[in-house]
Amino acid sequence: LYECVTWSFMADDMAGHFSQDAKVDALKLKNPISNDLNYMRPSILPNLAQAAARNADKGLGDTALCEVGPVFRSVKTDGQDMVATGLRAGRVGSKSWVSEDADRAVDAYDAKADAMSVLAACGVPDTGFQITRETPSYYHPGRSGALKQGKKVLAYFGELHPGVLQDMDLKKNMSGFEV
C-alpha cells in the first residue's frame, strides 16, 4: 500500500455517508478553509477513495493506498481516534502470462488480509478473532465484516457500499479496512 496524507476535513455529503453516528452535525466547522471541506472527517476511507479516483483519472486505475491519522466522532476530548485505514481499487494481480497471480477485482478478502497484517504489525495475536457482520453502513452488507476480540472491535473491513460509491461518483469497485 502507498501511504497518503489527506485533509482531516471533508464535504458535508461525504461526512453524512461515512458517519457511524447521527450527530455528524457536531463535526461541522464554523470557519472552514473552503465550502467543500466543512466537516471533520468521521472516516479516512472517503479521502482515500477520492485519491484513488484522481489516480484513475490519470491512468492509474489499480490503486492500493493507506493512511494513519485521526478520525472524529465528537467534539469532546475523547471523541478523536487514531485509525490505520487502507483502500484498494480496481484489480489485483498481474496481467502477465508468466505470473502466477490471477488478475481479478479487489474484494473483501483483500481488505481482510490487509487489516490482519496491520493488526499483526501492531503485535495483536492472530488467534481468537471473531468475525461478525456488524459494520458501518458505508460497507457492503454482504461483503464486509468486523474483527473482534470479545466485545471490542479491532477492525472493520470489506467492500464499500455500491450506493455510497455511486453517490461519490466513483466508477471502480473499492475495498477497504479501518483498524
Side-chain angles (χ1 to χ4, degrees), residues 35-53:
N35 288 336
D36 60 338
L37 298 173
N38 57 349
Y39 277 79
M40 298 303 292
R41 66 180 177 197
S43 173
I44 299 173
L45 280 172
N47 297 34
L48 295 179
Q50 286 182 319

Side-chain angles (χ1 to χ4, degrees), residues 21-101:
D21 205 342
K23 300 174 186 168
V24 72
D25 283 336
L27 300 176
K28 185 171 185 174
L29 297 170
K30 292 185 191 283
N31 189 15
I33 60 174
S34 110
N35 288 336
D36 60 338
L37 298 173
N38 57 349
Y39 277 79
M40 298 303 292
R41 66 180 177 197
S43 173
I44 299 173
L45 280 172
N47 297 34
L48 295 179
Q50 286 182 319
R54 284 191 299 273
N55 284 347
D57 290 344
K58 295 177 182 176
L60 303 169
D62 302 333
T63 308
L65 304 172
C66 68
E67 180 176 353
V68 177
V71 297
F72 304 89
R73 289 178 282 111
S74 73
V75 295
K76 296 180 182 176
T77 55
D78 63 345
Q80 177 178 330
D81 298 318
M82 190 63 69
V83 177
T85 304
L87 180 118
R88 292 183 184 267
R91 304 188 67 76
V92 294
S94 174
K95 294 181 182 179
S96 171
W97 62 274
V98 293
S99 175
E100 295 179 13
D101 296 333

Side-chain angles (χ1 to χ4, degrees), residues 138-157:
Y138 49 87
Y139 284 103
H140 192 296
R143 299 177 185 171
S144 60
L147 293 171
K148 297 174 80 173
Q149 282 185 333
K151 293 184 178 186
K152 182 158 182 71
V153 175
L154 300 176
Y156 294 115
F157 67 90

